[in-house]
Amino acid sequence: MRIGIAGLGIIGRTVVRALADGMPGLELACVAARDQGKARAWLEQQSIPCPIVKLEAMPSHADLVVECAPASVLEDICRPMLSARKRVMVLSAGALLSRPELIDLAKSKGGQIIVPTGALIGLDAVTAAAQGTIHSVRMVTRKPPRGLAGAPYLVEHGISVDHLAEPLRVFAGTAREAAIGFPANVNVVAALALAGIGPDRTTIEIWADPSVQRNCHTIEVDSDSAKLSMSIENVPSENPRTGRITALSVLAALAKMRSPLRVGT
């Protein structure tokens, strides 16, 4: 399977490096990046031979593209691939909530959008519970303040997370509202909503907490098949908005594509 990578930030580089080192049944086919010069310099430094192409050209090179780019270019990545009946692995899950037409496109053309587990835990259990009846899904996220700084919701409401001496709840609402107000911070709750009861019934609290060093998520799900309580503390990557486990989740999802043993839903 030919894999393309759209975006060469922290996650994109990790995935490119792993593919270049060798993953059974998978081939690094191409990359796309906003700054092609910078991307070319990095690939040469890493001794990774790989063509750099434009987003609209990716379907000619790849069977599946991993989106590791800003949410603002999600449609530019997805539409060419889905129109060509191919697959896109989407990390900017929050951007999907405001672009249901991409899901419709995948359905009409026979393409597929894959949302990996990312920085969460228990999405398999939530997906299973959704086959029955889920009554409620609630999530609480606590992040170091610098991981939330600059979020549009904070700017719009004049909320400062600088020099906090104690935890501050900066948001409470639905997953859909959170995805709009914190597009770079809470893709996790969008994935949870897509796995479960949707973005308008999934609720979230977001806390800027100076006492934590990790991105902490707690999930509570009440359903007719099980009551689930899950928590995870993710070590931030070089980008404080992103946990290290996110890139590893992409690699795990890619490995499943060609694995002789597939564990999990």
Side-chain angles (χ1 to χ4, degrees):
M1 180 179 289
R2 300 173 301 163
I3 308 299
I5 308 299
L8 275 185
I10 298 298
I11 297 174
R13 290 183 178 189
T14 300
V15 178
V16 166
R17 181 72 268 173
L19 287 167
D21 288 342
M23 295 182 68
L26 304 176
E27 172 193 351
L28 175 62
C30 63
V31 301
R34 180 172 50 188
D35 188 334
Q36 291 196 3
K38 186 176 180 181
R40 186 173 293 104
W42 182 80
L43 290 169
E44 291 177 353
Q45 179 190 29
Q46 298 292 314
S47 300
I48 299 175
C50 180
I52 301 172
V53 302
K54 294 183 178 181
L55 294 177
E56 59 268 26
M58 296 195 89
S60 300
H61 296 264
D63 303 307
L64 181 152
V65 164
V66 183
E67 174 266 313
C68 307
S72 59
V73 295
L74 178 65
E75 188 156 347
D76 296 332
I77 295 168
C78 288
R79 192 166 289 279
M81 290 294 293
L82 297 176
S83 296
R85 301 183 177 185
K86 297 192 174 185
R87 295 175 171 182
V88 185
M89 187 173 293
V90 170
L91 298 187
S92 299
L96 274 180
L97 301 186
S98 59
R99 294 173 175 83
E101 66 275 8
L102 292 177
I103 300 173
D104 293 337
L105 178 62
K107 182 177 180 179
S108 65
K109 293 293 187 180
Q112 186 181 39
I113 298 171
I114 301 167
V115 179
T117 299
L120 276 190
I121 187 173
L123 280 192
D124 272 4
V126 177
T127 302
Q131 296 300 306
T133 301
I134 295 179
H135 305 303
S136 64
V137 179
R138 179 175 177 267
M139 179 173 172
V140 177
T141 288
R142 293 179 179 272
K143 289 195 173 189
R146 69 190 185 102
L148 293 168
Y153 183 90
L154 300 186
V155 174
E156 180 182 348
H157 291 82
I159 300 172
S160 173
V161 293
D162 296 332
H163 312 299
L164 291 180
E166 59 185 23
L168 174 67
R169 190 180 76 172
V170 297
F171 177 85
T174 68
R176 187 183 302 279
E177 294 165 338
I180 295 170
F182 299 83
N185 304 98
V186 290
N187 286 308
V188 286
V189 77
L192 178 63
L194 291 168
I197 54 176
D200 298 312
R201 293 179 58 201
T202 303
T203 64
I204 180 173
E205 291 184 7
I206 302 174
W207 291 74
D209 190 341
S211 69
V212 302
Q213 300 299 316
R214 300 183 177 188
N215 300 326
C216 305
H217 309 293
T218 300
I219 306 162
E220 294 182 357
V221 180
D222 185 26
S223 76
D224 64 351
S225 60
K227 187 171 184 178
L228 313 173
S229 296
M230 302 166 281
S231 62
I232 184 170
E233 297 182 7
N234 294 316
V235 178
S237 66
E238 295 173 38
N239 179 348
R241 296 177 177 84
T242 303
R244 292 184 185 178
I245 201 170
T246 302
L248 302 181
S249 174
V250 172
L251 297 179
L254 288 174
K256 277 187 177 183
M257 299 289 179
R258 287 291 184 264
S259 175
L261 172 64
R262 179 168 178 163
V263 179
T265 301

